[in-house]
Structures are given as C-alpha cells and as structure tokens.
Amino acid sequence: MTRYWELLKRELRLALRQGSDSMMVVGFFVLAVILFPFGIGPEPSVLARVAPGLVWVNALLAAMLSLDRLYQGDYEDGSLELLILTPAPLEILVGAKVTAHWLTTGLPLMAAAPLLAIFLNLSAYDLGVLLLTLAVGTPTLSLIGSVGAALVLGARRGGVLISLLVLPLFIPVLIFAVGAVDAAQHAFPWTGQLAILGAILLGAVPLGLYASAAALRQAAE
Amino acid sequence: MFGLQNPTKFLKFAKLTGPWFAVASVLLIGAGLWFGLFSSPADYQQGETVRIMYVHVPSAWMGMFAYSVMAVASAIALVWKHPVADHIAKGSAPLGAGFTLVCLVTGALWGKPMWGTWWVWDARLTSMLILFFLYLGYMALSGAFDNAERGAKAAAILAVVGWVNVPIIKFSVDWWNTLHQPASVTKAGMPSVDPSMLLPLLLMGVGFTTFYATLLLWRVRSEILQTRIRNIRLAQIHGEG
C-alpha cells in the first residue's frame, strides 16, 4: 500500500509540475460544449433538453484525449520496466496510475460542470444529479481507458487506435449516466440508473486493473 | 486436448474434417432455404417479410458465438500459450464481424417495412452495433504491431475484456423493454415459434454453424501456413545459425 501512495504522489507531482496537460483537457471539454449552442441554436429549453448528453459525450472525448499519455511516457523512457520489476503487485501500481489519471482529468471535469450547467440552462437539482453521475462514472472511464492505453503501447498510430478500442466500451456508462440525468429532468426517480453506474464501476475495478496489468506485462516483454 | 495444440496435428485434423463441415453446411443451408422460402407459411402479422428471419436470426447467433469462440480461444492462448488458440481467435474475428454485419443489414432491411425505419436506438440493435465495433477494434489492434506475436497478445486481452458485451446483447431484450421483440426460440419450456417456422430456423442455425466451422478451419490452416512461411523467411534472413 505504501508503494501505491508513493506512485500516486509521483504521478500527481509530475502532473502538477507540467500543469498544462490537465488544464488542456478541461479547456477542450468546456470549448467543445460551448460549440453546441452555436451549432444547434441558443433556445434555452432545447439546450436544457440535450445538456446531459452534451456534457457526457464531451467528457468521454476529453477523458480519451488524455489517455495516450497515461503509460506512453513511462514506456518510452523505460520507467515502465522498473515499475513492473518492483515487488509490489502491478495491479496496485496500475491502481495508483488510474487514481492519478482520475484526479487530474475526471475531477477537473466535474469542477467545470457547474459552469457548463449555467451555459446550458440546467437547473441546480439536475446539476446535482449530473455531478453524481460524473463522480461515479468518470472513474470507470479511467479504468477502461487504462486498459486501452496499455494495449496500444508500441502500436502504430496508437492514439487513433485507442478511440476505436475504448469508445465502444464507454457506451454503457454513457447510457446510464445520461439516463439518470434525463430521469431527474422529468422528475422521475433516478437512483436506479446511478446504482447501475456504481455496479459498472465495481465490475470495472478488478477487470480494468487485471487487464491493464496483463497488457503492461506483455508490452514490456 | 486431443493433441490439437500441435499445429501439424491440427492441420491434419482440419484437412480431414473440413470437407465434412463444408458438405454439411451446403446440405443444411440448402434444406433450410427450401423450407424457409417455399415450404413455410408467411406470418399472419408480418407477411412474407418474416422470411428474412431465417438469415437474420442465425447471423445474430453466429455473431455472438464467433465472439465467444474468440474470447475463449484468447483466454486459452493467454493462460496456456496454446499456439493454435491464437490462430483460432484471429481467424474467428473477421467471420464474426461478417455475420454481425449481415445481421445488422438484414435487420435494417426488415425494419424499414415493419417498423417504418432503417434504424432505431433500441437496446438490442445498439449492443449489436457495439459488438461490430469491438470486432473492428480487435482486428485493428492485432494488425497494429510490427511484431505479430505482440499484436496477438494485445488483441487477446481486448477480446477477453470485450466479452462482457455478449451477455448484455443476449439479455438486452429481457432487461430493456424496447422495440425489438423478446427471445422466442430459447424460451424456458416450449419455444413460442410454430414448428413449421422453427424447423427452417434451426436448420439454418446449424447450417450457419457448420459454415462458420468450415471457414474457420480454412482460415486457421492458412494462418498456420503463413506463420511457417514467415519463420522460414526469418531463418533465411538471419542465417541458419
């Protein structure tokens, strides 16, 4: 467990010192959402109607943008091999990487969501539900994305390939997250969809950690 | 498993059984087509368009079956480093993608007169589309490495992870009550399809399976031979040492 914290601290320190990377993801997220009122017209009721989908689709794309950096740097400078050689289980170290990825992308996305809620005419109550779905859903994105990022190490045009591998697997998260906010907008109960999101997250933890670790091991062979 | 993990023995096995599967698939699909197109009644609600079911449903089955074969073979290849399992997984992917595409296209052709639209975002249709993208991702990933072995390993991990979609497709019509009709053949107790329609459907189902087996054996054979050719060429380049 100490190695988990050590690696997490290292990743966060790296992210803080570079700084711009995680800001770029949030910048992309906000800008891409802002494009839609220009594209589909500024009608407030229409915007509120499509807001949950807009926010979520753009959150998926933004999270995906940051994925190719997750293991690429470590793979290129050789520190990935050192990570694999450390006595701690690789799954724990992957967990630290994923946690760091979520803290530097998922969490900033959540922080930007209230601003977008104002732009898109989303009520405070719906924003609350949206934030809850982001809180439960974005860790799943980091976990699934970690598998994709580990698989394409050393592949040709890996960045494009990640989107083909990871986006289909993101779709269930998207469906239930948007379903929950939609239900909240129409004053229906939404805890069921949130519970399914939680179940997906719980399933993604072991699957994502083991599959990422296996992919990293074969990449470093 | 019967010594089939040995590529040479597998080649022999494929050579021996391949023609039988081919003959069986021609007979079964021929009989299924005859019963389906001429000898079975039109549906009382859907009329003649119901006949597209005899291609649509077996392709859907095979799309999921081929993915399961791919996932199981990948798992076997990852755990036991079974050399033929890699070839089976790799050979299964384009076949499954083809079946999935046929299923989606015939579904659209049927949906236009019946539902009045080529496509709806129904749970069954959407999960089938995801399956198609998973196949594409698998093939893209296994081809993206200069070292074929690494590609096979990475793709195998993806195949195992992506298998979670198959039960979602299977139960999508039970979990979400959307436009696609619920399962009627694999019901507990009696299937709710009339025997005159069930017979051609099952004939086509078994026929598609043997057709898939024929093509799979063929592809695995050519994969094994290609690997051998590559090894011979590598040996020539690097000298006999």
Side-chain angles (χ1 to χ4, degrees):
Chain A
M1 236 26 215
T2 50
R3 292 212 168 72
Y4 174 88
W5 293 113
E6 288 295 322
L7 186 59
L8 184 59
K9 265 192 273 177
R10 165 191 181 253
E11 293 293 323
L12 291 180
R13 214 175 291 136
L14 278 174
L16 281 180
R17 301 230 167 116
Q18 285 168 346
S20 60
D21 277 359
S22 116
M23 288 325 291
M24 247 160 50
V25 170
V26 178
F28 169 84
F29 178 55
V30 173
L31 266 175
V33 172
I34 285 177
L35 287 181
F36 280 88
F38 296 104
I40 57 181
E43 184 74 32
S45 63
V46 174
L47 285 181
R49 171 78 197 75
V50 295
L54 280 189
V55 171
W56 257 99
V57 168
N58 285 301
L60 291 190
L61 296 177
M64 210 189 60
L65 267 188
S66 59
L67 280 177
D68 56 343
R69 286 182 296 109
L70 189 51
Y71 298 111
Q72 194 67 40
D74 288 347
Y75 178 71
E76 277 163 6
D77 66 13
S79 37
L80 183 64
E81 274 152 42
L82 293 177
L83 281 183
I84 293 174
L85 288 175
T86 44
L90 188 54
E91 284 78 10
I92 298 282
L93 300 178
V94 168
K97 290 283 248 181
V98 170
T99 314
H101 179 260
W102 182 75
L103 287 175
T104 52
T105 57
L107 206 56
L109 291 187
M110 281 176 66
L115 174 69
L116 297 177
I118 296 172
F119 286 155
L120 297 173
N121 196 31
L122 208 60
S123 76
Y125 177 71
D126 301 339
L127 171 67
V129 180
L130 178 69
L131 283 176
L132 272 178
T133 62
L134 281 171
V136 183
T138 46
T140 314
L141 302 187
S142 295
L143 281 161
I144 300 175
S146 149
V147 181
L151 281 175
V152 299
L153 288 178
R156 279 172 271 130
R157 273 170 284 114
V160 188
L161 197 53
I162 286 189
S163 55
L164 186 59
L165 303 184
V166 162
L167 283 182
L169 296 171
F170 279 175
I171 292 175
V173 178
L174 178 65
I175 290 175
F176 290 107
V178 174
V181 189
D182 261 344
Q185 281 183 324
H186 295 97
F188 286 122
W190 42 267
T191 43
Q193 285 93 327
L194 198 67
I196 295 181
L197 271 186
I200 296 177
L201 175 59
L202 287 182
V205 168
L207 190 69
L209 294 187
Y210 278 106
S212 308
L216 288 179
R217 279 198 199 97
Q218 64 92 19
E221 253 173 28
Chain B
M1 274 188 285
F2 318 115
L4 286 181
Q5 68 274 39
N6 179 339
T8 312
K9 284 197 180 146
F10 190 91
L11 280 181
K12 247 190 209 160
F13 168 80
K15 219 173 179 178
L16 203 71
T17 53
W20 290 101
F21 279 121
V23 170
S25 67
V26 170
L27 291 179
L28 285 165
I29 292 179
L33 281 180
W34 190 82
F35 278 110
L37 295 182
F38 302 109
S39 167
S40 75
D43 190 74
Y44 78 100
Q45 269 184 330
Q46 307 175 359
E48 298 290 343
T49 53
V50 75
R51 298 187 198 284
I52 208 163
M53 166 182 88
Y54 302 124
V55 175
H56 174 72
V57 174
S59 343
W61 286 341
M62 295 317 295
M64 288 187 271
F65 180 67
Y67 196 93
S68 303
V69 169
M70 199 170 97
V72 170
S74 298
I76 291 175
L78 283 175
V79 175
W80 289 291
K81 312 227 182 306
H82 193 305
V84 178
D86 258 338
H87 295 311
I88 291 178
K90 205 177 164 204
S92 192
L95 301 177
F99 282 121
T100 310
L101 188 62
V102 168
C103 170
L104 289 171
V105 170
T106 52
L109 290 176
W110 180 86
K112 185 63 187 167
M114 284 300 113
W115 294 343
T117 167
W118 298 106
W119 181 262
V120 280
W121 290 99
D122 150 275
R124 175 61 68 88
L125 276 65
T126 314
S127 50
M128 212 61 195
L129 187 67
I130 299 177
L131 183 71
F132 184 62
F133 286 132
L134 284 176
Y135 275 123
L136 292 188
Y138 175 91
M139 290 190 280
L141 186 64
S142 79
F145 293 88
D146 296 323
N147 178 349
E149 249 174 65
R150 276 216 50 205
K153 265 196 181 170
I157 297 173
L158 180 72
V160 174
V161 171
W163 190 80
V164 293
N165 189 39
V166 172
I168 296 182
I169 302 176
K170 177 74 192 66
F171 296 110
S172 58
V173 283
D174 305 325
W175 292 344
W176 293 280
N177 207 350
T178 42
L179 197 50
H180 197 286
Q181 66 196 50
S184 25
V185 176
T186 52
K187 244 181 209 171
M190 278 300 285
S192 55
V193 179
D194 191 76
S196 66
M197 290 182 172
L198 193 60
L199 175 70
L201 189 59
L202 291 182
L203 279 175
M204 290 295 273
V206 182
F208 269 46
T209 314
T210 51
F211 175 60
Y212 164 74
T214 315
L215 291 184
L216 183 64
L217 286 176
W218 202 350
R219 288 192 61 89
V220 173
R221 268 180 70 187
S222 68
E223 286 275 339
I224 293 176
L225 295 178
Q226 268 178 1
T227 313
R228 287 193 176 165
I229 292 172
R230 211 185 53 234
N231 287 345
I232 292 171
R233 287 212 177 119
L234 282 177
Q236 278 175 343
I237 292 168
H238 297 300
E240 301 317 309

mmCIF file with all atom_site columns, all heavy atoms in Angstrom, chain B residues 11-27:
data_model
loop_
_atom_site.group_PDB
_atom_site.id
_atom_site.type_symbol
_atom_site.label_atom_id
_atom_site.label_alt_id
_atom_site.label_comp_id
_atom_site.label_asym_id
_atom_site.label_entity_id
_atom_site.label_seq_id
_atom_site.pdbx_PDB_ins_code
_atom_site.Cartn_x
_atom_site.Cartn_y
_atom_site.Cartn_z
_atom_site.occupancy
_atom_site.B_iso_or_equiv
_atom_site.pdbx_formal_charge
_atom_site.auth_seq_id
_atom_site.auth_comp_id
_atom_site.auth_asym_id
_atom_site.auth_atom_id
_atom_site.pdbx_PDB_model_num
ATOM 1   N N   . LEU B 1 11 ? -3.436  -29.301 -38.518 1.00 0.00 ? 11 LEU B N   1
ATOM 2   C CA  . LEU B 1 11 ? -3.563  -29.249 -39.979 1.00 0.00 ? 11 LEU B CA  1
ATOM 3   C C   . LEU B 1 11 ? -4.199  -30.532 -40.494 1.00 0.00 ? 11 LEU B C   1
ATOM 4   O O   . LEU B 1 11 ? -5.082  -30.512 -41.351 1.00 0.00 ? 11 LEU B O   1
ATOM 5   C CB  . LEU B 1 11 ? -2.188  -29.059 -40.627 1.00 0.00 ? 11 LEU B CB  1
ATOM 6   C CG  . LEU B 1 11 ? -1.618  -27.648 -40.636 1.00 0.00 ? 11 LEU B CG  1
ATOM 7   C CD1 . LEU B 1 11 ? -0.275  -27.635 -41.340 1.00 0.00 ? 11 LEU B CD1 1
ATOM 8   C CD2 . LEU B 1 11 ? -2.577  -26.697 -41.317 1.00 0.00 ? 11 LEU B CD2 1
ATOM 9   N N   . LYS B 1 12 ? -3.743  -31.652 -39.951 1.00 0.00 ? 12 LYS B N   1
ATOM 10  C CA  . LYS B 1 12 ? -4.287  -32.948 -40.366 1.00 0.00 ? 12 LYS B CA  1
ATOM 11  C C   . LYS B 1 12 ? -5.776  -33.014 -40.053 1.00 0.00 ? 12 LYS B C   1
ATOM 12  O O   . LYS B 1 12 ? -6.591  -33.402 -40.879 1.00 0.00 ? 12 LYS B O   1
ATOM 13  C CB  . LYS B 1 12 ? -3.548  -34.064 -39.606 1.00 0.00 ? 12 LYS B CB  1
ATOM 14  C CG  . LYS B 1 12 ? -2.690  -34.935 -40.512 1.00 0.00 ? 12 LYS B CG  1
ATOM 15  C CD  . LYS B 1 12 ? -2.209  -36.124 -39.704 1.00 0.00 ? 12 LYS B CD  1
ATOM 16  C CE  . LYS B 1 12 ? -0.875  -36.607 -40.229 1.00 0.00 ? 12 LYS B CE  1
ATOM 17  N NZ  . LYS B 1 12 ? -0.169  -37.415 -39.243 1.00 0.00 ? 12 LYS B NZ  1
ATOM 18  N N   . PHE B 1 13 ? -6.094  -32.618 -38.804 1.00 0.00 ? 13 PHE B N   1
ATOM 19  C CA  . PHE B 1 13 ? -7.488  -32.642 -38.357 1.00 0.00 ? 13 PHE B CA  1
ATOM 20  C C   . PHE B 1 13 ? -8.358  -31.758 -39.254 1.00 0.00 ? 13 PHE B C   1
ATOM 21  O O   . PHE B 1 13 ? -9.443  -32.155 -39.682 1.00 0.00 ? 13 PHE B O   1
ATOM 22  C CB  . PHE B 1 13 ? -7.537  -32.169 -36.900 1.00 0.00 ? 13 PHE B CB  1
ATOM 23  C CG  . PHE B 1 13 ? -8.914  -31.875 -36.377 1.00 0.00 ? 13 PHE B CG  1
ATOM 24  C CD1 . PHE B 1 13 ? -9.737  -32.914 -35.960 1.00 0.00 ? 13 PHE B CD1 1
ATOM 25  C CD2 . PHE B 1 13 ? -9.381  -30.570 -36.300 1.00 0.00 ? 13 PHE B CD2 1
ATOM 26  C CE1 . PHE B 1 13 ? -11.004 -32.645 -35.474 1.00 0.00 ? 13 PHE B CE1 1
ATOM 27  C CE2 . PHE B 1 13 ? -10.645 -30.309 -35.819 1.00 0.00 ? 13 PHE B CE2 1
ATOM 28  C CZ  . PHE B 1 13 ? -11.453 -31.339 -35.409 1.00 0.00 ? 13 PHE B CZ  1
ATOM 29  N N   . ALA B 1 14 ? -7.825  -30.553 -39.579 1.00 0.00 ? 14 ALA B N   1
ATOM 30  C CA  . ALA B 1 14 ? -8.599  -29.620 -40.392 1.00 0.00 ? 14 ALA B CA  1
ATOM 31  C C   . ALA B 1 14 ? -8.808  -30.184 -41.792 1.00 0.00 ? 14 ALA B C   1
ATOM 32  O O   . ALA B 1 14 ? -9.876  -30.044 -42.385 1.00 0.00 ? 14 ALA B O   1
ATOM 33  C CB  . ALA B 1 14 ? -7.887  -28.272 -40.467 1.00 0.00 ? 14 ALA B CB  1
ATOM 34  N N   . LYS B 1 15 ? -7.785  -30.830 -42.321 1.00 0.00 ? 15 LYS B N   1
ATOM 35  C CA  . LYS B 1 15 ? -7.869  -31.388 -43.664 1.00 0.00 ? 15 LYS B CA  1
ATOM 36  C C   . LYS B 1 15 ? -8.911  -32.502 -43.700 1.00 0.00 ? 15 LYS B C   1
ATOM 37  O O   . LYS B 1 15 ? -9.643  -32.666 -44.676 1.00 0.00 ? 15 LYS B O   1
ATOM 38  C CB  . LYS B 1 15 ? -6.504  -31.946 -44.058 1.00 0.00 ? 15 LYS B CB  1
ATOM 39  C CG  . LYS B 1 15 ? -6.146  -31.696 -45.506 1.00 0.00 ? 15 LYS B CG  1
ATOM 40  C CD  . LYS B 1 15 ? -4.710  -32.128 -45.719 1.00 0.00 ? 15 LYS B CD  1
ATOM 41  C CE  . LYS B 1 15 ? -4.305  -31.915 -47.149 1.00 0.00 ? 15 LYS B CE  1
ATOM 42  N NZ  . LYS B 1 15 ? -2.902  -32.282 -47.357 1.00 0.00 ? 15 LYS B NZ  1
ATOM 43  N N   . LEU B 1 16 ? -8.964  -33.259 -42.577 1.00 0.00 ? 16 LEU B N   1
ATOM 44  C CA  . LEU B 1 16 ? -9.869  -34.401 -42.518 1.00 0.00 ? 16 LEU B CA  1
ATOM 45  C C   . LEU B 1 16 ? -11.321 -33.958 -42.354 1.00 0.00 ? 16 LEU B C   1
ATOM 46  O O   . LEU B 1 16 ? -12.222 -34.442 -43.041 1.00 0.00 ? 16 LEU B O   1
ATOM 47  C CB  . LEU B 1 16 ? -9.450  -35.274 -41.328 1.00 0.00 ? 16 LEU B CB  1
ATOM 48  C CG  . LEU B 1 16 ? -9.853  -36.739 -41.376 1.00 0.00 ? 16 LEU B CG  1
ATOM 49  C CD1 . LEU B 1 16 ? -9.029  -37.443 -42.435 1.00 0.00 ? 16 LEU B CD1 1
ATOM 50  C CD2 . LEU B 1 16 ? -9.639  -37.370 -40.009 1.00 0.00 ? 16 LEU B CD2 1
ATOM 51  N N   . THR B 1 17 ? -11.555 -33.012 -41.403 1.00 0.00 ? 17 THR B N   1
ATOM 52  C CA  . THR B 1 17 ? -12.937 -32.668 -41.067 1.00 0.00 ? 17 THR B CA  1
ATOM 53  C C   . THR B 1 17 ? -13.493 -31.538 -41.922 1.00 0.00 ? 17 THR B C   1
ATOM 54  O O   . THR B 1 17 ? -14.709 -31.426 -42.064 1.00 0.00 ? 17 THR B O   1
ATOM 55  C CB  . THR B 1 17 ? -13.039 -32.248 -39.594 1.00 0.00 ? 17 THR B CB  1
ATOM 56  O OG1 . THR B 1 17 ? -12.074 -31.225 -39.367 1.00 0.00 ? 17 THR B OG1 1
ATOM 57  C CG2 . THR B 1 17 ? -12.776 -33.405 -38.679 1.00 0.00 ? 17 THR B CG2 1
ATOM 58  N N   . GLY B 1 18 ? -12.614 -30.701 -42.479 1.00 0.00 ? 18 GLY B N   1
ATOM 59  C CA  . GLY B 1 18 ? -13.084 -29.543 -43.237 1.00 0.00 ? 18 GLY B CA  1
ATOM 60  C C   . GLY B 1 18 ? -14.118 -29.889 -44.298 1.00 0.00 ? 18 GLY B C   1
ATOM 61  O O   . GLY B 1 18 ? -15.217 -29.301 -44.322 1.00 0.00 ? 18 GLY B O   1
ATOM 62  N N   . PRO B 1 19 ? -13.832 -30.857 -45.199 1.00 0.00 ? 19 PRO B N   1
ATOM 63  C CA  . PRO B 1 19 ? -14.807 -31.184 -46.248 1.00 0.00 ? 19 PRO B CA  1
ATOM 64  C C   . PRO B 1 19 ? -16.154 -31.625 -45.690 1.00 0.00 ? 19 PRO B C   1
ATOM 65  O O   . PRO B 1 19 ? -17.198 -31.297 -46.270 1.00 0.00 ? 19 PRO B O   1
ATOM 66  C CB  . PRO B 1 19 ? -14.128 -32.325 -46.998 1.00 0.00 ? 19 PRO B CB  1
ATOM 67  C CG  . PRO B 1 19 ? -12.684 -32.175 -46.706 1.00 0.00 ? 19 PRO B CG  1
ATOM 68  C CD  . PRO B 1 19 ? -12.594 -31.602 -45.345 1.00 0.00 ? 19 PRO B CD  1
ATOM 69  N N   . TRP B 1 20 ? -16.141 -32.356 -44.555 1.00 0.00 ? 20 TRP B N   1
ATOM 70  C CA  . TRP B 1 20 ? -17.404 -32.800 -43.968 1.00 0.00 ? 20 TRP B CA  1
ATOM 71  C C   . TRP B 1 20 ? -18.242 -31.623 -43.516 1.00 0.00 ? 20 TRP B C   1
ATOM 72  O O   . TRP B 1 20 ? -19.448 -31.578 -43.753 1.00 0.00 ? 20 TRP B O   1
ATOM 73  C CB  . TRP B 1 20 ? -17.147 -33.754 -42.796 1.00 0.00 ? 20 TRP B CB  1
ATOM 74  C CG  . TRP B 1 20 ? -16.606 -35.061 -43.258 1.00 0.00 ? 20 TRP B CG  1
ATOM 75  C CD1 . TRP B 1 20 ? -15.304 -35.471 -43.233 1.00 0.00 ? 20 TRP B CD1 1
ATOM 76  C CD2 . TRP B 1 20 ? -17.338 -36.130 -43.863 1.00 0.00 ? 20 TRP B CD2 1
ATOM 77  N NE1 . TRP B 1 20 ? -15.183 -36.706 -43.771 1.00 0.00 ? 20 TRP B NE1 1
ATOM 78  C CE2 . TRP B 1 20 ? -16.416 -37.151 -44.168 1.00 0.00 ? 20 TRP B CE2 1
ATOM 79  C CE3 . TRP B 1 20 ? -18.687 -36.306 -44.167 1.00 0.00 ? 20 TRP B CE3 1
ATOM 80  C CZ2 . TRP B 1 20 ? -16.795 -38.334 -44.767 1.00 0.00 ? 20 TRP B CZ2 1
ATOM 81  C CZ3 . TRP B 1 20 ? -19.069 -37.499 -44.767 1.00 0.00 ? 20 TRP B CZ3 1
ATOM 82  C CH2 . TRP B 1 20 ? -18.133 -38.504 -45.060 1.00 0.00 ? 20 TRP B CH2 1
ATOM 83  N N   . PHE B 1 21 ? -17.572 -30.663 -42.859 1.00 0.00 ? 21 PHE B N   1
ATOM 84  C CA  . PHE B 1 21 ? -18.307 -29.463 -42.444 1.00 0.00 ? 21 PHE B CA  1
ATOM 85  C C   . PHE B 1 21 ? -18.852 -28.734 -43.666 1.00 0.00 ? 21 PHE B C   1
ATOM 86  O O   . PHE B 1 21 ? -19.984 -28.241 -43.653 1.00 0.00 ? 21 PHE B O   1
ATOM 87  C CB  . PHE B 1 21 ? -17.389 -28.528 -41.641 1.00 0.00 ? 21 PHE B CB  1
ATOM 88  C CG  . PHE B 1 21 ? -17.240 -28.920 -40.209 1.00 0.00 ? 21 PHE B CG  1
ATOM 89  C CD1 . PHE B 1 21 ? -15.993 -29.208 -39.677 1.00 0.00 ? 21 PHE B CD1 1
ATOM 90  C CD2 . PHE B 1 21 ? -18.346 -28.990 -39.384 1.00 0.00 ? 21 PHE B CD2 1
ATOM 91  C CE1 . PHE B 1 21 ? -15.848 -29.560 -38.350 1.00 0.00 ? 21 PHE B CE1 1
ATOM 92  C CE2 . PHE B 1 21 ? -18.216 -29.342 -38.050 1.00 0.00 ? 21 PHE B CE2 1
ATOM 93  C CZ  . PHE B 1 21 ? -16.961 -29.636 -37.536 1.00 0.00 ? 21 PHE B CZ  1
ATOM 94  N N   . ALA B 1 22 ? -18.054 -28.670 -44.740 1.00 0.00 ? 22 ALA B N   1
ATOM 95  C CA  . ALA B 1 22 ? -18.493 -27.947 -45.936 1.00 0.00 ? 22 ALA B CA  1
ATOM 96  C C   . ALA B 1 22 ? -19.730 -28.604 -46.524 1.00 0.00 ? 22 ALA B C   1
ATOM 97  O O   . ALA B 1 22 ? -20.725 -27.934 -46.831 1.00 0.00 ? 22 ALA B O   1
ATOM 98  C CB  . ALA B 1 22 ? -17.357 -27.910 -46.962 1.00 0.00 ? 22 ALA B CB  1
ATOM 99  N N   . VAL B 1 23 ? -19.691 -29.950 -46.665 1.00 0.00 ? 23 VAL B N   1
ATOM 100 C CA  . VAL B 1 23 ? -20.834 -30.663 -47.227 1.00 0.00 ? 23 VAL B CA  1
ATOM 101 C C   . VAL B 1 23 ? -22.058 -30.466 -46.335 1.00 0.00 ? 23 VAL B C   1
ATOM 102 O O   . VAL B 1 23 ? -23.167 -30.159 -46.803 1.00 0.00 ? 23 VAL B O   1
ATOM 103 C CB  . VAL B 1 23 ? -20.496 -32.165 -47.374 1.00 0.00 ? 23 VAL B CB  1
ATOM 104 C CG1 . VAL B 1 23 ? -21.754 -32.948 -47.727 1.00 0.00 ? 23 VAL B CG1 1
ATOM 105 C CG2 . VAL B 1 23 ? -19.425 -32.364 -48.426 1.00 0.00 ? 23 VAL B CG2 1
ATOM 106 N N   . ALA B 1 24 ? -21.838 -30.609 -45.011 1.00 0.00 ? 24 ALA B N   1
ATOM 107 C CA  . ALA B 1 24 ? -22.962 -30.462 -44.085 1.00 0.00 ? 24 ALA B CA  1
ATOM 108 C C   . ALA B 1 24 ? -23.576 -29.075 -44.199 1.00 0.00 ? 24 ALA B C   1
ATOM 109 O O   . ALA B 1 24 ? -24.804 -28.925 -44.197 1.00 0.00 ? 24 ALA B O   1
ATOM 110 C CB  . ALA B 1 24 ? -22.486 -30.711 -42.651 1.00 0.00 ? 24 ALA B CB  1
ATOM 111 N N   . SER B 1 25 ? -22.730 -28.041 -44.334 1.00 0.00 ? 25 SER B N   1
ATOM 112 C CA  . SER B 1 25 ? -23.295 -26.693 -44.368 1.00 0.00 ? 25 SER B CA  1
ATOM 113 C C   . SER B 1 25 ? -24.076 -26.472 -45.653 1.00 0.00 ? 25 SER B C   1
ATOM 114 O O   . SER B 1 25 ? -25.146 -25.856 -45.642 1.00 0.00 ? 25 SER B O   1
ATOM 115 C CB  . SER B 1 25 ? -22.191 -25.647 -44.200 1.00 0.00 ? 25 SER B CB  1
ATOM 116 O OG  . SER B 1 25 ? -21.334 -25.661 -45.301 1.00 0.00 ? 25 SER B OG  1
ATOM 117 N N   . VAL B 1 26 ? -23.592 -27.014 -46.788 1.00 0.00 ? 26 VAL B N   1
ATOM 118 C CA  . VAL B 1 26 ? -24.346 -26.858 -48.040 1.00 0.00 ? 26 VAL B CA  1
ATOM 119 C C   . VAL B 1 26 ? -25.702 -27.532 -47.920 1.00 0.00 ? 26 VAL B C   1
ATOM 120 O O   . VAL B 1 26 ? -26.751 -26.943 -48.256 1.00 0.00 ? 26 VAL B O   1
ATOM 121 C CB  . VAL B 1 26 ? -23.542 -27.446 -49.222 1.00 0.00 ? 26 VAL B CB  1
ATOM 122 C CG1 . VAL B 1 26 ? -24.422 -27.513 -50.467 1.00 0.00 ? 26 VAL B CG1 1
ATOM 123 C CG2 . VAL B 1 26 ? -22.314 -26.605 -49.495 1.00 0.00 ? 26 VAL B CG2 1
ATOM 124 N N   . LEU B 1 27 ? -25.716 -28.767 -47.396 1.00 0.00 ? 27 LEU B N   1
ATOM 125 C CA  . LEU B 1 27 ? -26.980 -29.501 -47.273 1.00 0.00 ? 27 LEU B CA  1
ATOM 126 C C   . LEU B 1 27 ? -27.944 -28.788 -46.322 1.00 0.00 ? 27 LEU B C   1
ATOM 127 O O   . LEU B 1 27 ? -29.118 -28.592 -46.626 1.00 0.00 ? 27 LEU B O   1
ATOM 128 C CB  . LEU B 1 27 ? -26.712 -30.929 -46.766 1.00 0.00 ? 27 LEU B CB  1
ATOM 129 C CG  . LEU B 1 27 ? -25.997 -31.856 -47.750 1.00 0.00 ? 27 LEU B CG  1
ATOM 130 C CD1 . LEU B 1 27 ? -25.773 -33.222 -47.115 1.00 0.00 ? 27 LEU B CD1 1
ATOM 131 C CD2 . LEU B 1 27 ? -26.815 -31.996 -49.035 1.00 0.00 ? 27 LEU B CD2 1
#
